[in-house]
Amino acid sequence: MTRMAAAHAQSLLRAQEATLVAVSKGQSEEKIRQAIHAGVRGFGENRVQEAQDKWARVWCDFPAAHLHMIGALQTNKVREAVKLFDAIHTVDRKSIALALAKEMQKSGKRPSLFIQVNTGEEPQKSGVLPQDASAFITYCKQELELPVIGLMCVPPVSHHPAPHFALLKNMADAHGLTQLSMGMSGDFETAIRFGATHVRIGTALFGERDARM
Ligand SMILES: *Cc1c(COP(=O)(O)O)cnc(C)c1O
């Protein structure tokens, strides 16, 4: 991670009106602090426990930084997730939606939510299937009154991402959702062309991460 890289990414994205989510999973506290010094404010983590440990320390010095949950969420981690994150990008099933609704009611904290769509219909990947997405979005918004602001996807590595981004954009438009979390280090320019509002960039900013993450 260099200051230049972060500053450059931010100015590019500002021009496109997209928000940078700097994916700090598997990255050291030192690199995170450097990114904050370079002006980055939004960070993405994929594990509740890791985020809790790292950010308890970083927040002492930089309370303005905020976190996005970009990894699969388990129901037993929902309470901590609602506490830690300003946005959760990975709502993908009824049990999680229900648990989030319950926890938000209890805590009064309402992080913004994205519904993850498995646009490539990959069995190993999280996300609601495209054919089930419409009903699930309606369920979350109307029945549970969850603060759903947009959709998120991670296209299959072996595909051209453009059709996946286009599909997500169409679904979001059909439901009046304005936010699109799509685009990573390898494909964020394409994602922005298709209307991404949040790009989740890890390695292109920070370099390689700890391989266990
Ligand atoms: C790790 C991860 C990213 C960042 O990936 P890079 O290729 O390092 O930019 C983005 N989104 C999700 C969901 C991730 O798990």
Side-chain angles (χ1 to χ4, degrees):
M1 165 78 186
T2 66
R3 235 169 239 229
M4 284 290 292
H8 184 61
Q10 298 249 92
S11 67
L12 271 178
L13 294 171
R14 251 196 304 278
Q16 310 282 353
E17 299 182 353
T19 296
L20 172 64
V21 177
V23 176
S24 50
K25 66 181 183 194
Q27 302 289 353
S28 67
E29 236 179 276
E30 179 54 32
K31 285 190 175 179
I32 293 171
R33 288 171 187 272
Q34 284 172 15
I36 294 172
H37 279 300
V40 177
R41 287 296 173 267
F43 292 85
E45 292 283 349
N46 69 338
R47 291 180 190 188
V48 171
Q49 186 69 53
E50 182 193 343
Q52 245 172 343
D53 296 346
K54 263 191 329 207
W55 284 89
R57 295 186 295 268
V58 178
W59 269 327
C60 292
D61 303 322
F62 303 106
H66 58 269
L67 289 189
H68 299 252
M69 175 58 169
I70 61 162
L73 189 54
Q74 265 119 48
T75 32
N76 63 352
K77 294 283 165 66
V78 160
R79 172 171 302 173
E80 284 308 324
V82 166
K83 211 182 285 174
L84 277 175
F85 295 99
D86 279 293
I88 296 172
H89 293 230
T90 50
V91 181
D92 67 350
R93 56 194 191 277
K94 281 193 169 181
S95 56
I96 279 292
L98 272 168
L100 283 166
K102 224 180 261 176
E103 184 56 32
M104 287 188 189
Q105 181 97 46
K106 198 154 53 174
S107 67
K109 186 165 183 270
R110 292 173 67 77
S112 301
L113 303 180
F114 293 81
I115 289 170
Q116 182 174 357
V117 183
N118 186 354
T119 57
E121 305 185 35
E122 296 173 280
Q124 81 285 9
K125 209 168 259 178
S126 308
V128 62
L129 291 171
Q131 61 268 30
D132 301 331
S134 191
F136 185 62
I137 294 165
T138 303
Y139 171 74
C140 290
K141 283 179 62 174
Q142 314 279 326
E143 268 187 67
L144 300 181
E145 299 183 341
L146 285 170
V148 176
I149 62 167
L151 303 180
M152 177 274 212
C153 76
V154 181
V157 281
S158 57
H159 289 199
H160 196 286
H164 297 271
F165 296 151
L167 176 64
L168 202 69
K169 166 80 171 143
N170 283 340
M171 282 183 183
D173 286 347
H175 285 271
L177 295 169
T178 57
Q179 309 295 300
L180 288 169
S181 169
M182 57 191 200
M184 306 173 27
S185 291
D187 58 14
F188 69 91
E189 291 99 337
T190 308
I192 286 171
R193 273 210 309 281
F194 282 85
T197 60
H198 294 68
V199 293
R200 311 175 309 268
I201 303 182
T203 46
L205 270 182
F206 292 106
E208 290 306 316
R209 58 188 151 255
D210 184 325
R212 287 164 301 176
M213 301 297 163

